[in-house]
Amino acid sequence: MTGQIWFLPRSLQLTSFQAYKLRVTHLHQLKQHNILVSVGEDEEGVNPVVKVWNLEKRDGGNPLCTRIFPAIPGNKPTVVSCITVHENLNFMAIGFTDGSVVLTKGDITRDRHSKTQILQEGSYPITGMAFRQTGKTTHLFVVTTESVRAYELSQKDYPYMELDCHGCGLRCSALTDPSQDMQFVVAGNECVYLYQSDERGPCFAFEGQKLIVHWYRGYLVIVSRERSDFAGRSVDSHAPERQTLTIYDLGNKLIAYSCIMNDVVDVLAEWGSLYVLTRDGLVHALHEKDTQTKLEMLFKKNLYVMAISLAKGQHLDSDGLSEIFRQYGDHLYSKGDHDGAIQQYIRTIGKLEPSYVIRKFLDAQRIHNLTAYLQALHLQSLANADHTTLLLNCYTKLKDSARLEEFIKASEGEVHFDVEIAIKVLRQAGYHSHALYLAEKHAHHEWYLKIQLEDIKNFQEALQYIGRLPFPQAESNMKCYGKILMSHVPNETTQLLNDLCTDFPQPGGGDRANPEEFIPIFANNPAELKTFLEHMTRVQSDSPQGVYDTLLELCLQNWAHENDPQAKQQLQNDAMTLLKSGRFKNVFDKALVLCQMHNFQKGVLYLYEQGKLFQQIMHYHMQNDQYQEVIEACKQYGEQESCLWEQALSYFARKEEDCKEHIATVLRHIESKNLMPPLLVVQTLAHNSTATLSVIRDYLINKMQKLNQQSEKDERTVNQYREDTARIRQEIHELRNR
């Protein structure tokens, strides 16, 4: 009131300088610049003066005054009611009690760079103003006792919008921060209204006559008095006026602080605290509690929703929030609100150990709550195999096929559960179609086939499924399930095996399976095995040796058991064709054993002949007492193995029945080829009781005659040699002596 401006630093060392000769009426300190704008009077009766001070520069020890101009709207002298300055230093607005508003545009710290004009004229005093900057758009809120307007300063001629037809008193308006979207607060005696630049926003029914309104760090600070107090005070009363200081948290919809004070002069925000100056010369400091203390207070009152809202507003980390959700969930659970509790527990997923929640809801009556929690756990891909098992069991217990189907089919993109575990659980619970869907979709071929073959018994579908698989999987699954498929769908199974071993149509079909590996599948299906093996030998002549061996064995088995002569002949022809195919040269012994096992005479003899086992052929005929065949074998192979005739003679000599004719035939050959000495022949035949001398009479006579003839011939030859020798001696004597 004496024209001084005082500075109060944190050290509370007061300093001042003389700013005006008479009095200072208004001050506006910019937040982002060390610039102070003041309104005051230098002379009585003369218009108020606006001064702009640069507090960083000094002029004779005082701050530097960079600009002075009179505060007057037009030519009519009037009193300044309020002043505000834009933080960018390009706008200054001065409000007057006659309803006028003067706007200065340009650099407000210099005269020559700014332009002043009357923005508004009216009949109600201006009680508050505030600049609002959103992007590149600047608005000026102007409130009188009877109206609220918003001017758009970014457009030419500054158009305005009438926002309301009632206003407020002096010092009863403020601009919020971005947490409340930079809204303009107007505190009337019935309600507190919030305004956007183009419309009225929410309102709050805070009663009482408003004296002072401030916005501080997300809080709305209001000093008010009860209407009854105001109405009942006598004019002469010097007793201090009881006023209520209330701090509202609009975001969390709570009263953060409230107290009764006497004669509040002003509420100031500085150094991270609020200071309340009262008429009795005291300064009351209000320090905001830290977040944790606030939360604990709310927990004690079970105000968890408020605590969550507060924590989010204070940007509490996810661990802190999760702990609040857990406490809130525990509180609701203890109250019996299980639906509400599970919603809070769901919000703890990722922080709180799932077993903590699951144990609480394992009771049968809570199964739908547990289902909701487990679903959320899977959606966040945080479920393990046990959780999947539990969730699927919940679905099956609830018989909720729709939700179950939704769960397993919702994983079009990312799978949120262990597919194999899910298949096992669904199979166990009898939900075979769901298990099949998962197995097919996620290529769990073994599971798909197990369910089709062991549970549903749909052999045809299983076989078709294998036929659609890539070659390696088709091959391995046929080895695994071929036997069961063969016993139920033999023809189709045989066809698929044909394809696998020759020309498989699916990816990887360039490979060919080894047909030998599939032979055990046909253990109980010889007809299909024959079809399969014949197909292999026909289509793929270089089939493994095992194919030919098995086919031969199969032909011989069938031949041995066949009673129909015509069919038996055909099977014999087939077996001989196979033996003559040249595929048994390297496994001669095996083929021979097979023919012998099945007493396949024609094949045995063919193989003996191929192996030049002439004695074996002889023995075979001898064992079977085939006399004529013994003779034929000697005739056929005697040239290559002369001892056959000797063996034939021994064979017939041992026979007790009459074999004179066969012995005679053998003896003729022995005699003609001179294969045995006569004595040996006689000794050999001496074993046969039926063979009389007449059997060998002709042989012996012939033999003796030949011996006589030979002796005579030899004698003649000896005489001839003697005569020749005598003559040669005579010639030698003559040559010597003559």
Side-chain angles (χ1 to χ4, degrees):
M1 297 304 292
T2 58
Q4 286 185 309
I5 293 177
W6 293 83
F7 295 100
L8 180 65
R10 202 162 192 172
S11 63
L12 305 184
Q13 301 292 317
L14 272 169
T15 57
S16 68
F17 73 97
Q18 194 73 35
Y20 292 87
K21 293 174 184 171
L22 290 183
R23 64 185 70 85
V24 185
T25 58
H26 298 81
L27 285 181
H28 184 94
Q29 168 71 53
L30 278 88
K31 292 188 177 95
Q32 297 172 16
H33 305 276
N34 215 352
I35 301 290
L36 178 69
V37 179
S38 63
V39 181
E41 297 170 15
D42 277 332
E43 296 177 43
E44 200 72 62
V46 178
N47 290 327
V49 176
V50 178
K51 294 185 180 180
V52 181
W53 308 90
N54 186 337
L55 302 182
E56 291 180 346
K57 296 184 178 177
R58 314 301 288 178
D59 179 16
N62 293 335
L64 176 65
C65 182
T66 63
R67 184 179 183 187
I68 302 174
F69 64 94
I72 179 169
N75 299 317
K76 300 175 287 179
T78 182
V79 178
V80 173
S81 58
C82 53
I83 183 169
T84 186
V85 181
H86 196 297
E87 284 296 322
N88 65 12
L89 300 177
N90 277 334
F91 290 106
M92 181 195 298
I94 305 168
F96 296 90
T97 52
D98 68 352
S100 306
V101 175
V102 170
L103 180 70
T104 302
K105 185 181 180 185
D107 187 349
I108 62 136
T109 62
R110 300 171 185 275
D111 280 320
R112 64 170 179 265
H113 293 302
S114 63
K115 178 184 171 188
T116 301
Q117 68 183 82
I118 296 172
L119 186 66
Q120 169 180 320
E121 290 181 323
S123 48
Y124 298 106
I126 307 297
T127 54
M129 295 182 297
F131 287 106
R132 179 182 193 250
Q133 188 73 37
T134 48
K136 294 185 177 179
T137 307
T138 307
H139 287 93
L140 173 64
F141 289 104
V142 177
V143 60
T144 70
T145 52
E146 301 298 327
S147 67
V148 182
R149 282 183 182 178
Y151 287 87
E152 189 172 341
L153 305 183
S154 309
Q155 289 194 33
K156 194 179 177 186
D157 299 332
Y158 309 138
Y160 69 87
M161 180 172 281
E162 200 79 41
L163 296 176
D164 225 329
C165 56
H166 51 75
C168 65
L170 273 172
R171 303 204 297 172
C172 289
S173 63
L175 191 71
T176 68
D177 57 26
S179 72
Q180 284 292 329
D181 203 22
M182 305 288 286
Q183 295 182 95
F184 187 53
V185 180
V186 175
N189 288 337
E190 267 73 34
C191 291
V192 173
Y193 299 94
L194 273 65
Y195 297 93
Q196 297 278 6
S197 57
D198 55 355
E199 62 178 353
R200 190 169 88 182
C203 75
F204 300 91
F206 302 151
E207 291 189 350
Q209 184 188 2
K210 312 302 185 295
L211 304 174
I212 300 171
V213 172
H214 276 294
W215 185 264
Y216 167 73
R217 287 189 175 179
Y219 295 106
L220 180 63
V221 183
I222 295 179
V223 178
S224 61
R225 62 166 167 246
E226 294 293 327
R227 291 194 149 200
S228 56
D229 291 353
F230 181 60
R233 279 170 65 88
S234 65
V235 179
D236 302 323
S237 174
H238 295 292
E241 183 179 73
R242 288 167 63 78
Q243 297 166 350
T244 305
L245 170 71
T246 311
I247 302 176
Y248 297 97
D249 182 345
L250 296 186
N252 296 312
K253 296 185 173 53
L254 60 90
I255 294 173
Y257 181 78
S258 183
C259 71
I260 303 294
M261 288 194 166
N262 295 330
D263 290 335
V264 176
V265 176
D266 207 347
V267 180
L268 308 156
E270 197 54 72
W271 310 314
S273 298
L274 280 175
Y275 296 91
V276 183
L277 179 62
T278 52
R279 190 74 63 192
D280 56 13
L282 293 176
V283 175
H284 307 263
L286 298 176
H287 303 294
E288 186 177 3
K289 288 182 168 67
D290 63 74
T291 303
Q292 199 54 45
T293 308
K294 292 181 195 173
L295 291 172
E296 284 167 8
M297 290 169 68
L298 292 170
F299 294 155
K300 282 176 187 171
K301 297 178 180 179
N302 292 326
L303 298 172
Y304 292 98
V305 177
M306 212 171 270
I308 291 163
S309 177
L310 174 71
K312 285 181 176 174
Q314 299 289 329
H315 304 295
L316 199 68
D317 64 9
S318 56
D319 289 334
L321 272 170
S322 177
E323 179 57 22
I324 299 172
F325 296 141
R326 182 195 66 76
Q327 289 188 36
Y328 189 21
D330 290 351
H331 170 69
L332 293 172
Y333 185 86
S334 66
K335 296 283 184 193
D337 180 3
H338 299 112
D339 292 348
I342 208 70
Q343 290 309 313
Q344 297 310 316
Y345 288 135
I346 284 171
R347 298 165 86 178
T348 67
I349 289 173
K351 299 294 178 185
L352 182 62
E353 175 57 44
S355 58
Y356 176 87
V357 180
I358 292 167
R359 278 199 300 271
K360 287 177 179 286
F361 291 90
L362 278 175
D363 191 4
Q365 284 78 35
R366 320 262 180 275
I367 196 165
H368 64 281
N369 298 130
L370 180 58
T371 305
Y373 179 77
L374 291 168
Q375 272 180 320
L377 202 60
H378 281 81
L379 277 174
Q380 296 189 36
S381 299
L382 293 171
N384 62 26
D386 293 333
H387 299 146
T388 302
T389 305
L390 197 53
L391 176 57
L392 292 169
N393 281 329
C394 286
Y395 284 140
T396 54
K397 287 270 193 321
L398 292 168
K399 297 198 168 25
D400 192 346
S401 296
R403 293 281 286 282
L404 173 59
E405 199 153 316
E406 184 186 343
F407 174 72
I408 64 171
K409 291 186 178 177
S411 54
E412 291 304 329
E414 188 184 353
V415 183
H416 299 291
F417 56 88
D418 185 316
V419 174
E420 195 165 351
I421 290 291
I423 293 169
K424 283 182 186 174
V425 174
L426 290 167
R427 186 186 180 205
Q428 202 172 353
Y431 283 78
H432 295 130
S433 61
H434 295 80
L436 274 180
Y437 170 83
L438 279 180
E440 184 171 13
K441 183 167 182 286
H442 298 286
H444 285 270
H445 309 310
E446 292 78 6
W447 281 110
Y448 181 91
L449 293 167
K450 262 186 187 178
I451 297 163
Q452 286 284 28
L453 296 171
E454 296 172 18
D455 302 331
I456 304 176
K457 313 284 187 194
N458 191 341
F459 305 103
Q460 194 72 49
E461 184 55 48
L463 191 65
Q464 288 173 6
Y465 183 83
I466 294 174
R468 294 194 295 271
L469 294 178
F471 176 81
Q473 286 94 326
E475 182 185 24
S476 63
N477 280 297
M478 277 309 284
K479 286 176 184 173
C480 189
Y481 300 109
K483 202 166 275 188
I484 189 170
L485 287 166
M486 182 62 71
S487 62
H488 290 91
V489 278
N491 294 338
E492 295 84 344
T493 306
T494 306
Q495 183 55 52
L496 181 55
L497 288 172
N498 287 348
D499 294 343
L500 269 174
C501 298
T502 51
D503 189 17
F504 192 59
Q506 298 305 327
D511 300 328
R512 287 179 175 182
N514 182 354
E516 274 188 279
E517 295 174 356
F518 296 110
I519 289 172
I521 289 172
F522 295 91
N524 300 317
N525 297 72
E528 283 75 18
L529 176 58
K530 189 166 184 288
T531 305
F532 172 66
L533 296 172
E534 284 174 346
H535 172 81
M536 290 310 304
T537 56
R538 188 169 59 252
V539 174
Q540 202 172 312
S541 58
D542 60 343
S543 291
Q545 185 60 42
V547 171
Y548 287 91
D549 294 348
T550 310
L551 183 56
L552 176 62
E553 185 176 1
L554 201 58
C555 279
L556 294 174
Q557 273 179 3
N558 294 344
W559 172 83
H561 295 103
E562 185 58 64
N563 295 319
D564 178 21
Q566 196 173 351
K568 198 174 184 78
Q569 184 60 45
Q570 182 58 49
L571 286 166
Q572 178 177 300
N573 294 343
D574 291 346
M576 287 309 298
T577 304
L578 202 54
L579 284 171
K580 291 175 181 177
S581 66
R583 289 302 307 241
F584 296 94
K585 287 178 183 174
N586 298 326
V587 286
F588 175 84
D589 293 342
K590 191 171 186 179
L592 185 57
V593 168
L594 285 173
C595 290
Q596 287 170 337
M597 274 170 58
H598 295 91
N599 199 22
F600 185 52
Q601 180 180 344
K602 197 169 180 183
V604 170
L605 293 173
Y606 170 77
L607 289 170
Y608 282 159
E609 186 179 354
Q610 291 299 301
K612 293 187 168 43
L613 301 174
F614 307 129
Q615 292 197 32
Q616 296 290 350
I617 296 173
M618 280 283 288
H619 287 146
Y620 184 85
H621 292 315
M622 287 173 179
Q623 281 172 348
N624 293 293
D625 293 330
Q626 297 169 333
Y627 300 159
Q628 189 56 44
E629 282 79 357
V630 170
I631 301 295
E632 291 299 324
C634 288
K635 288 179 180 176
Q636 193 171 347
Y637 311 118
E639 294 291 332
Q640 297 167 60
E641 207 159 332
S642 57
C643 65
L644 294 180
W645 289 105
E646 296 175 28
Q647 289 173 11
L649 185 63
S650 294
Y651 168 72
F652 288 124
R654 286 192 182 87
K655 290 292 172 187
E656 293 303 316
E657 62 261 37
D658 189 3
C659 298
K660 291 178 183 177
E661 196 178 320
H662 299 301
I663 292 172
T665 305
V666 173
L667 286 173
R668 278 198 298 275
H669 278 279
I670 289 173
E671 183 193 347
S672 67
K673 301 289 184 188
N674 197 21
L675 298 175
M676 290 173 71
L679 189 58
L680 189 56
V681 171
V682 172
Q683 285 174 345
T684 302
L685 288 172
H687 296 295
N688 192 321
S689 58
T690 61
T692 59
L693 190 61
S694 62
V695 174
I696 58 166
R697 182 179 169 182
D698 293 341
Y699 166 75
L700 289 172
I701 291 169
N702 288 339
K703 198 70 183 164
M704 294 299 184
Q705 285 175 349
K706 281 185 179 175
L707 284 170
N708 285 337
Q709 289 170 3
Q710 187 65 40
S711 295
E712 290 170 3
K713 185 181 175 184
D714 289 347
E715 244 179 75
R716 284 197 299 275
T717 305
V718 168
N719 291 332
Q720 183 66 45
Y721 285 162
R722 279 177 179 160
E723 289 173 6
D724 290 347
T725 305
R727 194 183 66 251
I728 290 166
R729 279 181 178 159
Q730 182 61 37
E731 285 178 4
I732 292 168
H733 177 76
E734 287 180 2
L735 285 168
R736 278 180 181 167
N737 298 316
R738 289 189 185 178

